[in-house]
Amino acid sequence: MIIAMDGPAGAGKSTVAKRVARELGLTFLDTGAMYRAVTLVVLNRGIHPSDEERCTAVAREIELTFDDSGEIRIDGEAGEPDIRSDTVTLNVSAVSAHAGVRSAIVDEQRAIAERRGGLVAEGRDTTSVVFPGADHKFFLDASAKERARRRELQRPSERPLAEIQADIERRDKLDTTRAHSPLVQVPDAILIDVGSLNADQVVARILAHVRGER
Ligand code: DC
């Protein structure tokens, strides 16, 4: 079974997808972690994020795998926590906008689904491009203000809330307006407004849909 979930930054997709996967005994695939991993290697090698050719070469060359807890490994090395640094977060939209990078990563995502015989994937284009034939599709959304508040609770930082919200809005803009695989809510995805729900409630709703209770 393939379950795909998309939505903007900070909607809580990872937490929810991870738990849905655990409940159903499926693999969890954090597609954003793959774009973050490419971005980390690009930056470490001193490649400019706007250099499509070299970014694509990195995406094709590095080996991305996931360990049993669902955490990414880059050529066998742990990708966490470096893939979550502010520098990676600031540059990941630029790197992930390249068609060549996307095509390399999407091929890999489909190969993982094939090998694992199904999964729960979350990201920006899993319902629209990567797994258009997924058995269940969801779109998790909330206002930028609410998502900034959640980010702050999840990962407390010294930065003012307004700055975190501005970053989220900037990423929303880049993710929804890029030429290749922009973030969209596809017509057959079920919209879940996570603004008024906690993670338990979102997971329960998704499981009810998957189990045909809704
Ligand atoms: O979900 P995240 O914040 O870890 O994702 C990081 C970035 O990766 C996001 O700003 C856009 C990109 N991304 C993407 O282009 N396609 C995906 N399927 C997942 C993430």
Side-chain angles (χ1 to χ4, degrees):
M1 182 196 291
I2 294 186
I3 300 175
M5 267 175 230
D6 288 327
K13 299 182 299 291
S14 286
T15 309
V16 167
K18 216 178 269 179
R19 284 170 55 181
V20 168
R22 201 189 312 132
E23 289 285 334
L24 299 172
L26 293 168
T27 294
F28 158 62
L29 181 68
D30 177 353
T31 63
M34 300 174 81
Y35 292 100
R36 286 176 176 276
V38 175
T39 304
L40 177 66
V41 176
V42 160
L43 296 173
N44 284 348
R45 292 189 187 170
I47 297 168
H48 199 278
S50 67
D51 186 337
E52 170 154 13
E53 205 178 316
R54 295 185 71 199
C55 289
T56 301
V58 168
R60 293 245 167 243
E61 177 208 314
I62 58 175
E63 193 199 21
L64 298 178
T65 50
F66 289 88
D67 64 20
D68 291 343
S69 60
E71 291 203 344
I72 199 161
R73 302 191 77 82
I74 309 167
D75 291 330
E77 304 278 332
E80 304 280 357
D82 297 8
I83 61 161
R84 313 271 164 202
S85 73
D86 286 344
T87 327
V88 169
T89 301
L90 280 174
N91 288 286
V92 64
S93 291
V95 173
S96 63
H98 299 310
V101 170
R102 302 204 70 82
S103 134
I105 296 301
V106 168
D107 286 352
E108 192 49 40
Q109 289 160 355
R110 291 182 181 145
I112 295 172
E114 188 79 16
R115 277 201 301 275
R116 306 274 178 126
L119 42 71
V120 180
E122 63 90 358
R124 302 295 188 287
D125 64 344
T126 69
T127 57
S128 55
V129 174
V130 190
F131 303 115
D135 301 276
H136 299 279
K137 299 182 183 182
F138 299 93
F139 192 85
L140 274 51
D141 205 1
S143 69
K145 189 172 179 188
E146 175 61 24
R147 286 181 282 128
R149 200 184 61 78
R150 286 162 173 251
R151 266 283 143 94
E152 173 61 19
L153 284 177
Q154 218 179 29
R155 260 179 279 146
S157 80
E158 304 286 292
R159 302 165 66 220
L161 198 59
E163 211 177 279
I164 300 173
Q165 184 177 332
D167 271 0
I168 282 185
E169 285 167 347
R170 189 185 59 87
R171 271 216 285 158
D172 282 356
K173 184 144 191 272
L174 291 168
D175 292 347
T176 55
T177 58
R178 67 183 177 211
H180 307 288
S181 311
L183 170 67
V184 284
Q185 184 192 338
V186 293
D188 55 343
I190 293 165
L191 172 67
I192 301 186
D193 180 353
V194 299
S196 56
L197 303 172
N198 63 31
D200 285 344
Q201 293 167 316
V202 178
V203 171
R205 262 188 207 205
I206 290 174
L207 289 174
H209 277 290
V210 171
R211 291 171 174 152
E213 295 159 7
R214 269 175 193 266

